[in-house]
Amino acid sequence: MITKILARGGRACAYLAVRYVRALLLLLALPNGLLLGWLITPFTGALVKLANSERRRAAKYLGLPEGAPLPPATPRAPGDVVTLFRDRSFKRSLWLLLTPLAMVPELLVAVIGLVGAPAAVAGMLLWRLDPGNFSLMGVGVDSWAEALTNGPAQILVSLAVLGWGAPALARAHARAIRHLLAPSGAEVEMHRLTQRVDELTKSRAGAVDSHGAELRRIERDLHDGTQAQLVSLAMRIGIAKQTMVEDPEKAAKLLDDARDGAEQAMTELRGVLRTMYPPILADRGLAGAVSALAARCPLPVQLRIGELGEVPAAVEAAAYFVVAESLTNVTKHSAAGHVEVQLEKRGSELYLAVMDDGIGGARISEESDLLGRGSGLHGMLHRVQAIDGHMELQSPIGGPTTVEVILPCG
């Protein structure tokens, strides 16, 4: 109990002392700042950044979320004081200039809490070296009676300040900083919209890159696979036609080869089409398609499929490809013995999770498709982000690996 009180008080005193030193350094910079610093852009930006830093530290001390920061200062030309004092972020940051004055009593409380008890012990033991010049509770010590009376009283007062007074003042100071330096509601909304635009810009760029890569893959598969098979098929049929009269047996063999080639071309064409939008989704729905993937997987797959209801086609396709790619990765790279797939509707979102008990170590990289085991995770991420979904990968070394995906259905 005593240890917790002392730790809480020490943390509060440290918070107040550091805040006071930072505020004092800012105040000492004011003579130059008032004359020159506020007339140039860098000082304005530094003041706003300092305000955001103080809010983050206050939130950390209180154990609260950081919240939206003050927007950056408005760009302006040197000497443009009008724009400077119209800037809301700068005007809110000016509250920092009052904190050194307000923190004088707070610093006094912190000093009493930290120094009071050690000073009392020292005074009780050393007052005889210089009687009358050692004081306890503000009273000079001239006798053992005064030392043994005022010393414990000072220790108790110091511990009370350290355990309750300093934490109360530190919390009040942190709350005031969070309130005074907080952006307005409109600024918070603008910050949220700006972040959202940045996220959509990134996801759009990823979706465009993924779409381009997908088109190139389809074109390569058609050119190298299906088209080559069709060209070979046409040549065999042509040769068979020319040799049909002179050598019917050779022509029949060529036609048999052509038939086999046609079947192979159809198989490859169906494979390409399946990567664009799997026909099984239209035939059996998402639950049936995922069940088919699990049945084809060489590893044991435990399915947990809840009620799905109506799911948009784009969401069905994304979920199907995530499951297909995940099962492929598990089979090739994880050395797993068991896989679990969970699929369910949660409100207006589709939740999907693929878990395996393999060796772990999967990593997504922005520069390449994957650092570590497996492949295709980067493509999965782009496919999910393209429809405003969220994907999270947890794969510590030694396993297990979990891929969680949330896809909006609204």
Side-chain angles (χ1 to χ4, degrees), residues 23 26-27 30 34 38 43 47 93-101:
L26 176 63
L27 193 61
L30 284 183
L34 284 171
W38 288 0
F43 185 84
L47 192 63
S93 301
L94 291 178
W95 283 108
L96 288 176
L97 306 182
L98 298 179
T99 53
L101 301 178

Coordinates of all heavy atoms in Angstrom, one line a residue, residues 23 26-27 30 34 38 43 47 93-101:
A23 N 7.7 24.4 -19.6 CA 7.0 25.7 -19.6 C 8.0 26.9 -19.4 O 7.9 27.9 -20.0 CB 5.9 25.7 -18.7
L26 N 10.1 27.6 -22.4 CA 9.3 28.3 -23.3 C 9.2 29.8 -23.0 O 9.3 30.7 -23.8 CB 7.9 27.7 -23.5 CG 6.9 28.4 -24.4 CD1 7.4 28.4 -25.8 CD2 5.5 27.8 -24.3
L27 N 9.0 30.1 -21.7 CA 8.8 31.4 -21.2 C 10.1 32.2 -21.4 O 10.1 33.4 -21.7 CB 8.4 31.4 -19.7 CG 7.9 32.8 -19.2 CD1 6.7 33.2 -19.9 CD2 7.6 32.6 -17.7
L30 N 10.6 33.7 -24.8 CA 9.6 34.7 -25.2 C 10.2 36.1 -25.6 O 9.8 36.7 -26.6 CB 8.6 35.0 -24.1 CG 7.5 33.9 -24.0 CD1 6.5 34.3 -22.9 CD2 6.8 33.7 -25.3
L34 N 8.7 37.1 -29.0 CA 7.7 38.1 -29.2 C 8.2 39.1 -30.3 O 7.4 39.6 -31.1 CB 7.5 38.9 -27.9 CG 6.7 38.2 -26.8 CD1 6.7 38.9 -25.5 CD2 5.2 38.1 -27.3
W38 N 7.6 35.1 -33.6 CA 6.2 34.9 -34.0 C 6.0 35.4 -35.4 O 4.9 35.2 -36.0 CB 5.2 35.6 -33.1 CG 5.1 34.9 -31.8 CD1 5.7 33.8 -31.4 CD2 4.4 35.3 -30.6 NE1 5.4 33.4 -30.1 CE2 4.6 34.4 -29.6 CE3 3.5 36.4 -30.4 CZ2 4.0 34.5 -28.4 CZ3 2.9 36.5 -29.1 CH2 3.2 35.6 -28.2
F43 N 8.6 29.2 -36.0 CA 8.3 29.2 -34.5 C 6.8 28.9 -34.3 O 6.4 28.3 -33.3 CB 8.6 30.7 -34.0 CG 8.4 30.8 -32.5 CD1 9.4 30.4 -31.6 CD2 7.2 31.3 -32.0 CE1 9.2 30.5 -30.3 CE2 7.0 31.4 -30.7 CZ 8.0 31.0 -29.8
L47 N 5.4 26.0 -31.9 CA 4.5 26.2 -30.8 C 3.3 25.2 -30.8 O 2.9 24.7 -29.8 CB 4.0 27.6 -30.8 CG 3.3 28.1 -29.5 CD1 4.3 28.0 -28.3 CD2 2.8 29.5 -29.7
S93 N -2.6 27.4 -28.8 CA -1.3 27.1 -28.3 C -0.8 28.2 -27.4 O 0.1 27.9 -26.5 CB -0.3 26.9 -29.5 OG -0.7 25.9 -30.3
L94 N -1.3 29.4 -27.4 CA -0.9 30.5 -26.6 C -1.2 30.2 -25.1 O -0.6 30.8 -24.2 CB -1.5 31.8 -27.0 CG -1.1 32.4 -28.3 CD1 -1.8 33.6 -28.6 CD2 0.4 32.6 -28.3
W95 N -2.1 29.2 -24.8 CA -2.3 28.9 -23.4 C -1.1 28.3 -22.8 O -0.9 28.4 -21.5 CB -3.4 27.8 -23.3 CG -4.8 28.4 -23.5 CD1 -5.6 28.2 -24.6 CD2 -5.5 29.2 -22.6 NE1 -6.8 28.8 -24.4 CE2 -6.8 29.5 -23.1 CE3 -5.3 29.7 -21.3 CZ2 -7.8 30.2 -22.5 CZ3 -6.2 30.4 -20.7 CH2 -7.5 30.7 -21.3
L96 N -0.1 27.8 -23.6 CA 1.1 27.3 -23.0 C 1.9 28.4 -22.3 O 2.6 28.2 -21.3 CB 2.0 26.7 -24.1 CG 1.5 25.4 -24.7 CD1 2.5 25.0 -25.8 CD2 1.5 24.3 -23.6
L97 N 1.7 29.7 -22.7 CA 2.5 30.8 -22.1 C 2.0 31.1 -20.7 O 2.8 31.7 -20.0 CB 2.3 32.0 -23.0 CG 2.7 31.8 -24.5 CD1 2.6 33.1 -25.3 CD2 4.1 31.2 -24.6
L98 N 0.8 30.7 -20.3 CA 0.4 30.9 -19.0 C 0.7 29.8 -18.0 O 0.6 30.0 -16.8 CB -1.2 31.1 -19.0 CG -1.7 32.3 -19.8 CD1 -3.2 32.3 -19.8 CD2 -1.1 33.6 -19.4
T99 N 1.1 28.7 -18.5 CA 1.4 27.5 -17.6 C 2.5 27.8 -16.6 O 2.4 27.3 -15.5 CB 1.6 26.3 -18.4 OG1 2.7 26.5 -19.4 CG2 0.4 25.8 -19.2
P100 N 3.6 28.5 -17.0 CA 4.6 28.7 -16.0 C 4.1 29.4 -14.7 O 4.5 29.1 -13.6 CB 5.7 29.5 -16.7 CG 5.5 29.2 -18.1 CD 4.0 29.0 -18.3
L101 N 3.3 30.4 -14.9 CA 2.7 31.1 -13.7 C 1.8 30.2 -12.9 O 1.8 30.2 -11.7 CB 2.0 32.4 -14.2 CG 2.8 33.4 -15.0 CD1 2.0 34.5 -15.5 CD2 4.0 33.9 -14.2

